[in-house]
């Protein structure tokens, strides 16, 4: 029950999956086909402020957003779920991303997580992490993982009502872990993750193997996390991401998020690895590459990949 304050505000980190979420078993509740595991990006993410008002208004990075813009439509549709908690209020929502929106990183994940936390702050809800994670999941699946720092697992759950499909932190911090962002193209995605997932699930023959592979990869990555076995983690995360892209490419019409620059850099990662540099990659539903490496190799990776933006998730 709600004891309303004047304004709610919160921050949530962006996250990158090492074992990807791809495919929904329930589109309305955002229930996934498989469990997934991610790393949160520390202080890179979304800060959101929300206050009740006479009329809805949405701001993104300080600029007003037209209410028929896709970003505003999605934000307001999500708020519809909660208006009754606040006496059917309208809201002014201010969202600030400190990670480039175009890079496909300030995605919906940190946005919906921050929005749920801001609502919880506004209403003084006092809900636990699991419940907040499930609420964020309703906005975007990967948002369920952005409630937490560090390594996070989203349990797919089995209940049809989604009451056991939430994320939780796993494993202790790994202070040497680094992520590099290779921003290759800021072109808008041709197909969003929702449509992309549906198309893959419905038409891709290769997708049939995805749930089993994701389950196995997740266990391997968890084991590697606990053992601090970076090589196994990196290898499994890279193969998991490229396998996800294989399922997409086998859909019809084919779903190809990789651009020529992406392919070029995939080959480069293989080359520098063959030369002895321990670096792995992962790719989401877009053309940009995220590199995975350890602190010891930070300089070497930065000089091999000019323009790399390095993130210390535990910094
Ligand atoms: O949460 P969504 O609907 O934006 O989907 C995220 C899908 C991937 O980024 C490709 C994978 C993941 O687990 O984050």
């Amino acid at each position: 029950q709600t004891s309303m304050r004047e304004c709610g505000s919160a921050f949530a980190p962006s996250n990158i999956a090492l074992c990807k979420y791809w495919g929904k078993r329930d589109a309305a509740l955002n229930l996934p086909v498989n469990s997934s595991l991610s790393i949160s990006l520390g202080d890179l993410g979304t800060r959101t402020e929300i206050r009740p008002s006479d009329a809805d208004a949405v701001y993104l990075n300080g600029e007003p957003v037209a209410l028929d813009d896709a970003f505003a439509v999605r934000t307001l549709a999500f708020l519809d779920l909660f208006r009754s908690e606040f006496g059917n209020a309208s809201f002014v929502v201010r969202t600030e991303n400190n990670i480039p929106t175009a890079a496909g990183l300030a995605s919906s994940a940190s946005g919906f997580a921050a929005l749920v936390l801001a609502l919880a702050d506004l209403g003084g809800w006092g809900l636990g992490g699991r419940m907040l994670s499930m609420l964020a999941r309703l906005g975007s699946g990967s948002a369920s993982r952005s409630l937490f720092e560090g390594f996070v697992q989203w349990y797919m759950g089995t209940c049809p009502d989604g009451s056991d499909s939430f994320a939780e932190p796993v494993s202790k911090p790994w202070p040497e872990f680094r992520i590099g962002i290779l921003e290759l193209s800021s072109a808008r995605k041709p197909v969003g993750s929702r449509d992309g997932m549906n198309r893959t699930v419905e038409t891709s023959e290769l997708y049939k193997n995805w749930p089993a592979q994701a389950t196995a990869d997740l266990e391997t990555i968890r084991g590697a996390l606990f053992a601090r076995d970076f090589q196994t983690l990196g290898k499994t995360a890279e193969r998991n991401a490229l396998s996800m892209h294989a399922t997409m490419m086998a859909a019809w019409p084919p779903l190809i998020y990789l651009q020529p620059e992406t392919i070029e850099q995939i080959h480069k990662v293989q080359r520098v690895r063959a030369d002895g540099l321990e670096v792995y990659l992962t790719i989401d539903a877009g053309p940009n590459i995220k590199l995975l490496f350890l602190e010891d190799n930070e300089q070497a990776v930065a000089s091999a990949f000019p323009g790399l933006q390095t993130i210390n998730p535990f910094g």
Side-chain angles (χ1 to χ4, degrees):
Q1 200 34 48
T2 288
S3 60
M4 217 196 312
R5 303 174 43 186
E6 240 173 60
C7 171
S9 74
F11 171 83
S14 192
N15 77 76
I16 289 172
L18 302 173
C19 179
K20 306 293 184 190
Y21 150 51
W22 196 250
K24 299 174 202 278
R25 65 179 201 275
D26 183 312
L29 294 173
N30 277 344
L31 298 180
V33 167
N34 62 284
S35 297
S36 55
L37 193 151
S38 61
I39 170 118
S40 288
L41 299 189
D43 53 12
L44 290 181
T46 304
R47 174 161 291 284
T48 295
E49 189 193 281
I50 184 161
R51 53 178 84 233
S53 165
D54 298 336
D56 285 334
V58 177
Y59 294 82
L60 179 58
N61 296 330
E63 301 289 329
V65 179
L67 293 187
D68 60 355
D69 175 275
F71 175 78
V73 169
R74 228 176 139 190
T75 303
L76 296 173
F78 185 70
L79 289 176
D80 287 345
L81 301 172
F82 303 98
R83 291 187 202 273
S84 61
E85 285 288 315
F86 296 95
N88 293 318
S90 295
F91 295 104
V92 176
V93 188
R94 292 175 190 275
T95 299
E96 305 279 344
N97 290 319
N98 65 0
I99 185 161
T101 306
L105 288 166
S107 57
S108 44
S110 54
F112 283 109
L115 188 52
V116 163
L117 286 169
L119 282 165
D121 185 41
L122 180 68
W125 288 347
L127 295 175
R130 285 185 179 187
M131 189 56 86
L132 294 170
S133 170
M134 287 191 281
L135 293 177
R137 188 200 75 217
L138 298 173
S140 161
S142 55
S144 66
R145 300 185 308 239
S146 270
L147 266 296
F148 311 101
E149 295 292 343
F151 298 100
V152 178
Q153 180 169 350
W154 173 17
Y155 301 92
M156 59 178 285
T158 53
C159 295
D161 67 358
S163 57
D164 59 353
S165 187
F166 53 81
E168 254 176 18
V170 289
S171 167
K172 55 186 195 311
W174 191 341
E176 295 81 22
F177 203 97
R178 295 290 181 274
I179 293 163
I181 309 294
L182 265 182
E183 202 179 329
L184 302 171
S185 158
S186 58
R188 263 192 169 266
K189 308 189 201 186
V191 183
S193 56
R194 175 172 293 261
D195 292 342
M197 283 186 205
N198 291 343
R199 190 191 295 179
T200 309
V201 173
E202 281 160 22
T203 69
S204 171
E205 199 62 29
L206 286 187
Y207 188 78
K208 290 178 182 162
N209 190 55
W210 172 256
Q213 178 174 355
T215 304
D217 286 348
L218 193 138
E219 281 318 305
T220 305
I221 289 171
R222 273 184 70 112
L225 272 180
F226 288 112
R228 291 292 184 257
D229 175 353
F230 184 73
Q231 191 179 349
T232 300
L233 182 146
K235 207 166 106 177
T236 311
E238 179 167 325
R239 188 165 56 192
N240 180 271
L242 293 176
S243 300
M244 174 184 74
H245 282 274
T247 72
M248 299 166 171
M249 285 185 227
W252 196 264
L255 199 53
I256 306 180
Y257 289 106
L258 313 179
Q259 292 294 326
E261 310 87 286
T262 320
I263 303 289
E264 202 178 298
Q265 297 299 317
I266 292 174
H267 285 289
K268 184 163 171 185
V269 169
Q270 292 187 329
R271 267 199 319 273
V272 301
R273 202 159 56 216
D275 290 342
L277 186 56
E278 204 165 31
V279 56
Y280 299 91
L281 63 82
T282 184
I283 310 173
D284 290 304
N288 299 310
I289 288 183
K290 291 95 178 184
L291 299 179
L292 309 172
F293 50 96
L294 293 176
E295 186 184 17
D296 282 353
N297 291 322
E298 198 169 317
Q299 292 307 322
V301 174
S303 49
F305 296 92
L308 190 76
Q309 187 198 344
T310 296
I311 297 168
N312 175 358
F314 299 100

